[in-house]
Each structure stands twice: as C-alpha cells, then as structure tokens.
Amino acid sequence: MGDFYDDTADLSLRDIATRIREDIITVQNDDLIHADANFTVTIDETSPQSQIHITISGLPHSDHGTADTPSRDITRAAFTSVFVLASHYNRFTSSPYQLRYLVVIRAVHDNGTVYAEGVGAIGLWGELPQPEPAETPLHDG
C-alpha cells in the first residue's frame, strides 16, 4: 500500500493524477528529475483496470545515447522517479486481487514516437526491452 493511499482513498482517479503531476514537478524542481523532462499525466478508466498514464518527453541525449535515443540511464532514472511517486497513492493486494490503478509510463521522442515503455503497480514492474548502449561497460569477473 502506498504511503498516501489511506489519506486519498476517497479521491477520484483524476484527482490522484493531478497530485502525481504536482509531485513530479516538485521533485523536478528539487533537481531530482532531469530539468529538461516534460510530463503529461492522464487517466484511463475505460479498461477493466484503471490506469494512470505518464508520458515523458524532452529527455536529453548523452554520450551513451544515440542521435535518435536519449541515454538509457537518464530514461531509467526518470521512469524510476515517476513510478515511485505514482505508487504513493496506489494499493495492491494479490489475494484477493485488488489494484487501485496500473501505472503506464512512456518515454517519447520530440515527434511523439515511443522509445521506452513500462507498466506496473506497487511490487510489480515490467519494461519493454530497450536497445543496448553503444558501448557495453566491462565487468570484472
């Protein structure tokens, strides 16, 4: 159960999405999410399972990214931050199955093309495979 679930259990999914967006901006203003990132937070209540969609754009390129894809490290850090923030309001139990909402996160290029996507809930997280960086770090062992 997320830290803020009890205090927000009666709020609508739209109100939760608004709070998540405010939390993301607060954390970004504290320099804990890359300053160039832009976020949209929307809801989908048409599916059997309610969803909060977070779209990230504007992530910068780096030495490890290509001209077409921002770095995996920057993308993963943004995904992790927004997933943790979104999880504060969520509730998940496996038996019986109860989930307030799924979190769907997409990172997009400037033209809107998705280059990374993940779906999860508290305790559950999956990512679609991403291309390997141009140079794979060497590991001892």
Side-chain angles (χ1 to χ4, degrees):
M1 188 173 313
D3 296 337
F4 305 142
Y5 175 79
D6 288 335
D7 294 336
T8 61
D10 294 331
L11 292 181
S12 70
L13 196 60
R14 184 171 308 286
D15 290 340
I16 296 301
T18 298
R19 285 180 179 232
I20 291 169
R21 171 98 172 103
E22 291 167 355
D23 291 349
I24 290 169
I25 299 304
T26 297
V27 170
Q28 187 177 32
N29 288 340
D30 289 340
D31 294 329
L32 299 173
I33 296 177
H34 201 282
D36 293 336
N38 297 305
F39 300 92
T40 58
V41 181
T42 60
I43 63 169
D44 177 0
E45 294 180 294
T46 63
S47 302
Q49 176 61 62
S50 294
Q51 300 174 11
I52 291 187
H53 292 251
I54 302 170
T55 303
I56 307 168
S57 60
L59 290 174
H61 303 281
S62 74
D63 293 341
H64 297 289
T66 67
D68 297 321
T69 306
S71 109
R72 177 186 285 192
D73 295 340
I74 292 170
T75 301
R76 188 174 305 254
F79 266 56
T80 300
S81 295
V82 299
F83 179 73
V84 167
L85 292 169
S87 295
H88 286 301
Y89 302 94
N90 212 348
R91 177 175 187 249
F92 172 73
T93 58
S94 58
S95 184
Y97 177 83
Q98 294 178 339
L99 178 64
R100 187 177 201 176
Y101 54 84
L102 278 174
V103 179
V104 179
I105 304 172
R106 292 182 180 98
V108 299
H109 294 290
D110 292 340
N111 67 6
T113 304
V114 176
Y115 69 86
E117 183 173 37
V119 177
I122 296 175
L124 304 170
W125 179 250
E127 291 182 359
L128 296 178
Q130 296 183 29
E132 288 296 318
E135 294 182 26
T136 304
L138 298 175
H139 298 283
D140 291 334

